[in-house]
């Protein structure tokens, strides 16, 4: 239990603690999103991989009026439950927004932070991208289907559609149609300007936390221009634009990601 919720956690390795926070697409979960990274990072770190609230084997249902704040509170509660005063945070998409929110609210809990195409950057300054629309439309209209999920993953999530095995789509589809998830999808369109405002960290992201931002240059979910926004605002932020890569840097460019992540978190940059 963490912050009153059941949070499923996978853990391996020894060393400084690192939380890997997954994205918010339909059927996402911690271990599946970081399948190509956990083993390598565990050679040097204590790797902690939660299913965030609303996903995988964790409690379903989050505060849709403040989704980023809701998941951040839960992950901060997980740090408390694990007895960790501070940890490295690694976050992709929704996980990146969660990491940012934790760092904004409680910077003393974050050692170093690595973000891959995080949500919450420029959210109130432009219309949603086609990829984000595909994600948000998954549970609307005629409801979820394997075809809708495959289109989202192959057309919008990655640069090279052939890089994603059918087995990944099959597993995510089954997780995405769990009755409790269909009844309360974790990510939905903001229903008010106030809710949208809460989901945009661009104005507040002047953080002293050492940060590395990796952004796929061909990201169709969150605009790559968000990387420059963060680098311009954060005093200790490196930006690495990854060529021929979409929204899923840690999956599409696993070797590069694993090397950069391990070196950055250890201060070898």
């Amino acid at each position: 239990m963490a912050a009153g919720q059941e949070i499923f956690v996978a853990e391996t390795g020894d060393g400084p603690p690192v939380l890997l926070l997954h994205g918010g697409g339909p059927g996402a979960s911690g271990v599946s999103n970081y399948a190509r990274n956990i083993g390598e990072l565990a050679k040097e770190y204590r790797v902690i991989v939660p299913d965030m609230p609303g996903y995988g084997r964790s409690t379903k249902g989050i505060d849709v009026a403040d989704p980023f704040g809701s998941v951040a509170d839960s992950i901060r509660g997980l740090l408390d439950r694990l007895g960790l005063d501070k940890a490295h945070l690694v976050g992709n998409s929704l996980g990146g927004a969660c990491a940012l929110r934790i760092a904004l609210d409680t910077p003393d809990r974050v050692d170093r932070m690595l973000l891959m195409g995080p949500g919450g950057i420029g959210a109130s300054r432009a219309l949603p991208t086609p990829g984000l629309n595909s994600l948000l439309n998954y549970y609307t209209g005629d409801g979820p289907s394997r075809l809708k999920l495959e289109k989202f993953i192959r057309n919008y999530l990655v640069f090279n559609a052939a890089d994603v095995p059918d087995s990944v789509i099959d597993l995510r589809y089954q997780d995405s149609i769990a009755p409790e998830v269909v009844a309360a999808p974790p990510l939905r369109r903001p229903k008010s300007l106030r809710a949208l405002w809460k989901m945009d960290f661009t104005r507040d992201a002047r953080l002293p936390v050492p940060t590395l931002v990796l952004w796929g240059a061909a990201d169709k979910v969150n605009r790559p221009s968000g990387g420059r926004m963060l680098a311009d605002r954060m005093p200790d932020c490196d930006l690495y634009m990854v060529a021929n890569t979409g929204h899923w840097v840690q999956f599409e460019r696993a070797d590069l990601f694993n090397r950069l992540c391990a070196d950055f978190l250890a201060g070898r940059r």
Side-chain angles (χ1 to χ4, degrees), residues 10-252:
E11 184 174 338
T12 186
D14 295 305
V18 180
L19 266 69
L20 304 184
L21 305 175
H22 64 79
S29 65
V31 171
S32 67
N33 275 204
Y34 288 101
R36 297 182 176 183
N37 320 115
I38 294 169
E40 283 299 311
L41 294 177
K43 294 176 180 178
E44 192 170 351
Y45 298 97
R46 176 187 175 188
V47 181
I48 302 163
V49 193
D51 289 346
M52 292 200 291
Y55 296 88
R57 284 176 271 184
S58 292
T59 296
K60 303 304 184 289
I62 63 174
D63 180 2
V64 295
D66 184 15
F68 298 162
S70 179
V71 294
D73 288 345
S74 298
I75 297 303
R76 191 182 298 105
L78 176 62
L79 290 175
D80 294 339
R81 183 70 176 83
L82 294 173
L84 297 174
D85 293 329
K86 179 178 283 194
H88 298 304
L89 300 183
V90 175
N92 175 225
S93 196
L94 171 63
C98 173
L100 271 169
R101 183 64 178 266
I102 293 171
L104 285 166
D105 293 345
T106 49
D108 57 306
R109 305 297 300 270
V110 183
D111 195 342
R112 286 178 167 242
M113 182 165 61
L114 194 157
L115 308 172
M116 302 88 76
I121 309 303
S124 64
R125 303 183 179 204
L127 294 173
T129 63
L132 186 55
N133 276 326
S134 178
L135 187 159
L136 295 173
N137 289 339
Y138 181 71
Y139 290 101
T140 63
D142 56 358
S145 70
R146 191 189 182 285
L147 179 59
K148 285 174 75 172
L149 183 59
E150 183 170 19
K151 285 183 176 179
F152 166 67
I153 291 175
R154 296 201 190 280
N155 294 352
Y156 297 111
L157 191 64
V158 297
F159 178 77
N160 180 9
D163 193 34
V164 183
D166 287 342
S167 58
V168 169
I169 296 172
D170 291 337
L171 177 62
R172 286 189 61 151
Y173 175 61
Q174 290 304 317
D175 287 346
S176 78
I177 58 172
E180 61 270 35
V181 178
V182 176
L187 280 187
R188 313 179 204 182
R189 293 184 187 279
K191 292 186 176 181
S192 69
L193 288 176
R194 180 178 177 82
L196 181 61
W197 194 259
K198 284 184 177 181
M199 296 175 70
D200 192 340
F201 303 141
T202 316
R203 295 169 300 279
D204 306 318
R206 291 171 177 81
L207 282 166
V209 175
T211 301
L212 173 61
V213 176
L214 305 180
W215 215 302
D219 192 335
K220 297 178 182 178
V221 177
N222 291 330
R223 291 181 175 85
S225 57
R228 187 74 263 163
M229 289 183 187
L230 284 173
D232 287 344
R233 286 162 176 77
M234 299 176 71
D236 193 3
C237 176
D238 291 339
L239 172 63
Y240 192 120
M241 298 298 293
V242 187
N244 301 320
T245 305
H247 189 57
W248 225 5
V249 175
Q250 78 278 10
F251 183 91
E252 299 176 73

